[in-house]
Amino acid sequence: YGLTAVEGCTPENACDVGLRKSYLDAFYMSVVTLTTVGFGDLTPSSQLGRMVGIPWMLSGIVSTAFFLEAMQHCFLKMESWQRMEDAERISEETFKAMDRDGNGMLTKAEYVNYCLVKHDIVDQETLDGFYNIFNRMCKSTPDAITLEEVKEFQKTLKVRRNGTDWTD
């Protein structure tokens, strides 16, 4: 068949007279094909070899894609674990930076705030904006809001949007 033709080999007798490959050649060809490298130094020379080669090549592409995806997942998981381990190591300086109200204790909100910023999930400016909105809503108790306070704040926003500057 083309450049790979072997003298005396026909489609009828290809298995009997065709090019014989050793087990090492077959293994090498399998690895080269499955990994999609395909040097071209060994090619199937019979119809049967080509029929086996087609699904083998396609499965090689799929297998390589799944392997690369699994490796990426492992690397991302390792990076995530490393980040979590880093979050567990808190120096005195970091603790003081996390303690936004300066009372010597971390609240859950302060710790979560630190983790969100440290892991680049959200920036500090955005969180500060959320805190400002919360503080503007909060009227009755220092660290909690009621549904009525939320509704009142929403009414205030509607009024401000309809005519006046609401950037304060």
Side-chain angles (χ1 to χ4, degrees), residues 64-118:
T64 301
F66 280 130
F67 173 75
L68 292 174
E69 179 187 17
M71 292 300 294
Q72 177 188 19
H73 181 73
C74 286
F75 287 132
L76 291 176
K77 199 63 141 167
M78 287 172 28
E79 181 181 350
S80 175
W81 287 338
Q82 183 63 43
R83 283 183 169 184
M84 290 303 155
E85 286 177 10
D86 289 346
E88 293 171 359
R89 295 185 205 118
I90 300 173
S91 68
E92 185 175 342
E93 180 182 327
T94 304
F95 186 92
K96 287 179 182 177
M98 292 167 61
D99 185 14
R100 293 177 63 98
D101 58 9
N103 67 356
M105 296 183 343
L106 287 181
T107 63
K108 186 187 297 186
E110 288 171 330
Y111 181 76
V112 170
N113 180 4
Y114 165 77
C115 289
L116 290 172
V117 172
K118 178 172 177 44

Side-chain angles (χ1 to χ4, degrees), residues 27-161:
F27 178 73
Y28 172 76
M29 184 175 175
S30 296
V31 170
V32 167
T33 303
L34 192 62
T35 58
T36 69
V37 172
F39 291 124
D41 53 346
L42 293 175
T43 58
S45 57
S46 67
Q47 290 291 352
L48 178 62
R50 290 176 181 177
M51 295 307 290
V52 170
I54 290 170
W56 186 255
M57 291 173 211
L58 294 174
S59 68
I61 293 168
V62 172
S63 298
T64 301
F66 280 130
F67 173 75
L68 292 174
E69 179 187 17
M71 292 300 294
Q72 177 188 19
H73 181 73
C74 286
F75 287 132
L76 291 176
K77 199 63 141 167
M78 287 172 28
E79 181 181 350
S80 175
W81 287 338
Q82 183 63 43
R83 283 183 169 184
M84 290 303 155
E85 286 177 10
D86 289 346
E88 293 171 359
R89 295 185 205 118
I90 300 173
S91 68
E92 185 175 342
E93 180 182 327
T94 304
F95 186 92
K96 287 179 182 177
M98 292 167 61
D99 185 14
R100 293 177 63 98
D101 58 9
N103 67 356
M105 296 183 343
L106 287 181
T107 63
K108 186 187 297 186
E110 288 171 330
Y111 181 76
V112 170
N113 180 4
Y114 165 77
C115 289
L116 290 172
V117 172
K118 178 172 177 44
H119 297 298
D120 294 323
I121 297 170
V122 67
D123 59 68
Q124 188 62 51
E125 185 179 330
T126 302
L127 283 177
D128 289 343
F130 291 146
Y131 283 121
N132 289 337
I133 292 170
F134 183 88
N135 289 335
R136 290 191 313 195
M137 283 190 283
C138 189
K139 302 291 184 207
S140 57
T141 57
D143 290 324
I145 55 175
T146 64
L147 179 58
E148 288 77 26
E149 290 171 327
V150 172
K151 288 180 179 180
E152 183 63 33
F153 182 76
Q154 289 172 338
K155 284 181 196 174
T156 305
L157 283 181
K158 284 181 187 177
V159 169
R160 288 183 178 178
R161 284 185 189 146

